[in-house]
Amino acid sequence: MDHKHEDHDHKHGGNGGGGCCSDGGHDHGHHGDVVAGPGDDVVTCAVMGNPTVRSRAEASGLVRDFEGERYYFCCGHCAETFDADPLAYTAA
């Protein structure tokens, strides 16, 4: 599975490196170290490449099924970005 990450600043409005969910200095604080408990699977956000816990993403609705593959997201903004153009983040 090959995900395109190089153009994410354009997709997110070029926020100057503040993170995908940062808006005017408001950082949601979920993009750093992921703390996974025993038995938790860590997956990668399909948009930003950030690690996230599979069970938390599923419980929060931060997953999308597209063309037979399941994609996980670190936040709602990444899920919305994927929804707008899923082909930009899926295998060619």
Side-chain angles (χ1 to χ4, degrees):
M1 187 179 329
D2 181 32
H3 303 292
K4 293 182 182 180
H5 300 284
E6 65 275 359
D7 64 349
H8 70 266
D9 282 340
H10 299 290
K11 301 281 184 205
H12 294 290
N15 60 25
C20 76
C21 301
S22 180
D23 56 340
H26 177 81
D27 187 355
H28 297 274
H30 59 268
H31 292 298
D33 296 327
V34 169
V35 178
D40 282 337
D41 287 334
V42 176
V43 293
T44 303
C45 173
V47 174
M48 292 297 293
N50 297 323
T52 191
V53 175
R54 178 189 311 259
S55 61
R56 289 185 205 148
E58 289 174 341
S60 299
L62 298 175
V63 297
R64 299 294 187 270
D65 294 318
F66 182 76
E67 295 185 350
E69 292 285 332
R70 176 154 279 193
Y71 296 90
Y72 298 88
F73 307 97
C74 59
C75 66
H77 184 79
C78 285
E80 291 171 5
T81 299
F82 181 88
D83 290 342
D85 188 8
L87 292 175
Y89 302 99
T90 58

